[in-house]
């Protein structure tokens, strides 16, 4: 299955992506993760590091190049889940063109819908175990005592608000875009992790 997960920052994309990828046996492709890895390796241009720190979006060409290269890997041939990409209409059109060249297309676009007040709390209290990449939440999914916790620099409230604004301005328009393609499935992401997981699999038509 070729899937896209769309939703504002803190909606639960990474959390649900883990469940989906495990169940369907497809790779998770997160442009945010790839960019953070590039930054940690000292391979991301300073101007792009600055844009990420401020909660803005990187140029479409940067995101498209990352995804085009990643989709060349053999593990993506049988399907994939894109998390955090596309984020603009040019990225969505670019993705369609990449897939069309390969004689394939997206199957489903899942939109995780979560009210804004919940997003702030989810993002600000998010922590990640740097050894395993596992996502935790200080209130809703507390980490074990031995976790090596990381707090993303863009998960402070002022930056989270800017990221939500960027989603509203640049990304939310993808929902009608994919609705016109007949690929959009909306999921209420406001419940518990388990409740959302159930709805995600119901939307995918995969029995739990
Ligand atoms: P995204 O990838 O969309 O930015 P994450 O999956 O990283 O979102 O989730 C953001 C934060 O919210 C994390 O701390 C995660 O543990 C927590 N979280 C995810 N889904 C839920 C949920 N349904 N209820 C409560 N907290 C959640
Ligand atoms: P995420 O991990 O998806 O929340 O992404 C973290 C940050 O990486 C975003 O706030 C952007 O600065 C950048 N980013 C990730 N994916 C994209 C994308 N598809 N297009 C532009 N910028 C992106």
């Amino acid at each position: 299955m070729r899937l896209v997960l769309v939703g504002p920052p803190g909606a639960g994309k990474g959390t649900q992506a883990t469940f989906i990828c495990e169940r369907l046996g497809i790779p998770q492709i997160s442009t945010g993760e790839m960019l953070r890895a590039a930054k940690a390796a000292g391979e991301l241009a300073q101007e792009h590091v600055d844009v990420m720190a401020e909660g803005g979006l990187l140029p479409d060409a940067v995101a498209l190049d990352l995804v085009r290269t990643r989709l060349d890997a053999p593990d993506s041939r049988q399907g994939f889940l894109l998390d955090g990409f596309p984020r603009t209409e040019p990225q969505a059109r670019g993705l369609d063109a990449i897939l069309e060249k390969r004689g394939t297309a997206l199957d489903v676009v899942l939109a995780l819908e979560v009210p804004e007040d919940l997003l702030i709390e989810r993002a600000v209290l998010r922590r990640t175990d740097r050894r395993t990449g596992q996502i935790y939440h200080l209130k809703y999914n507390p980490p074990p005592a031995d976790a090596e916790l990381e707090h993303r620099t863009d998960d402070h409230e002022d930056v989270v608000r800017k990221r939500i604004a960027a989603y509203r301005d640049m990304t939310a328009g993808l929902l009608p875009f994919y609705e016109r393609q007949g690929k959009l499935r909306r999921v209420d992401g406001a419940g518990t992790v388990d409740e959302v997981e159930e709805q995600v699999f119901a939307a995918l038509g995969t029995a739990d």
Side-chain angles (χ1 to χ4, degrees), residues 136-195:
Y136 295 102
H137 190 277
L138 294 182
K139 183 166 161 191
Y140 299 120
N141 184 16
D146 66 343
E148 279 184 29
L149 295 183
E150 243 174 5
H151 186 190
R152 277 170 55 174
T153 49
D154 60 354
D155 271 346
H156 294 277
E157 184 167 343
D158 53 335
V159 184
V160 172
R161 288 192 185 280
K162 288 187 195 158
R163 291 163 60 208
I164 292 171
Y167 175 84
R168 213 187 295 122
D169 295 345
M170 311 291 291
T171 311
L174 293 182
L175 272 56
F177 175 88
Y178 284 122
E179 200 151 42
R180 285 194 293 277
Q181 291 190 359
K183 292 182 178 168
L184 188 72
R185 301 194 194 165
R186 295 174 191 267
V187 172
D188 177 3
T192 64
V193 170
D194 289 351
E195 285 165 355

Side-chain angles (χ1 to χ4, degrees), residues 3 8 24 30 36 42 51 54 60 72 81 88 90 99 112 126 150-151 192 204 207:
L3 283 173
L24 301 184
S30 158
R36 279 187 289 279
V51 169
E54 287 156 12
D60 291 329
D72 278 338
L81 182 149
T88 65
L99 295 176
L112 270 186
R126 166 169 40 201
E150 243 174 5
H151 186 190
T192 64
L204 289 176

Side-chain angles (χ1 to χ4, degrees), residues 9-10 13 30-33 35-36 48 51-53 55-60 62-64 66-67 83-88 91 126 152 154-155 163:
K13 299 182 298 295
S30 158
T31 43
E33 285 297 326
L35 289 165
R36 279 187 289 279
H48 297 148
V51 169
M52 283 178 78
L57 293 189
L58 267 58
D60 291 329
V62 172
L64 271 163
L66 273 180
V67 168
D83 157 12
F85 177 94
R87 264 175 150 99
T88 65
Q91 290 182 20
R126 166 169 40 201
R152 277 170 55 174
D154 60 354
D155 271 346
R163 291 163 60 208

Side-chain angles (χ1 to χ4, degrees), residues 5-39:
L5 206 45
V6 186
K13 299 182 298 295
T15 301
Q16 297 299 327
T18 308
F19 303 144
I20 298 169
C21 290
E22 201 177 292
R23 179 89 61 97
L24 301 184
I26 53 177
Q28 175 187 353
I29 302 177
S30 158
T31 43
E33 285 297 326
M34 292 164 86
L35 289 165
R36 279 187 289 279
K39 181 189 160 203

